[in-house]
Amino acid sequence: MSNTTANDELLTAEQVAARLHLHIATVWRYVREGKLRAVRLSYKGIRIRQSELDRFLNELETGKDTDEPRARL
């Protein structure tokens, strides 16, 4: 189970791409591959929790998978 808080900001794929200095297609690929969990709002609408982005970055820094397996969208 995830440990999100009530004020956990929801970010668009565009915002995540800008914060990571990546192309938007790379963020979408990470979501498709299950590397980055997202909440699907519609066919092309997703949101990524700030806590999930933090987990993803921590995993990249440590080289460890710190959470349970992630489902694909």
Side-chain angles (χ1 to χ4, degrees):
M1 202 84 192
S2 96
N3 53 354
T4 59
T5 61
N7 60 359
D8 199 7
E9 184 179 6
L10 292 172
L11 307 169
T12 64
E14 292 83 4
Q15 289 171 316
V16 171
R19 289 181 186 196
L20 299 179
H21 303 285
L22 296 173
H23 193 277
I24 184 71
T26 303
V27 173
W28 276 96
R29 188 180 76 235
Y30 287 168
V31 170
R32 270 195 325 273
E33 292 173 351
K35 294 178 180 179
L36 191 59
R37 280 181 289 214
V39 177
R40 184 170 294 284
L41 302 176
S42 66
Y43 176 71
K44 288 204 168 197
I46 64 168
R47 296 296 183 271
I48 299 161
R49 294 185 188 278
Q50 179 63 53
S51 60
E52 171 60 11
L53 182 57
D54 294 341
R55 183 211 54 82
F56 176 76
L57 292 172
N58 184 52
E59 186 177 305
L60 288 177
E61 289 175 359
T62 63
K64 296 180 183 176
D65 191 358
T66 58
D67 213 355
E68 68 272 358
R70 292 167 293 287
R72 292 177 60 180
L73 289 180

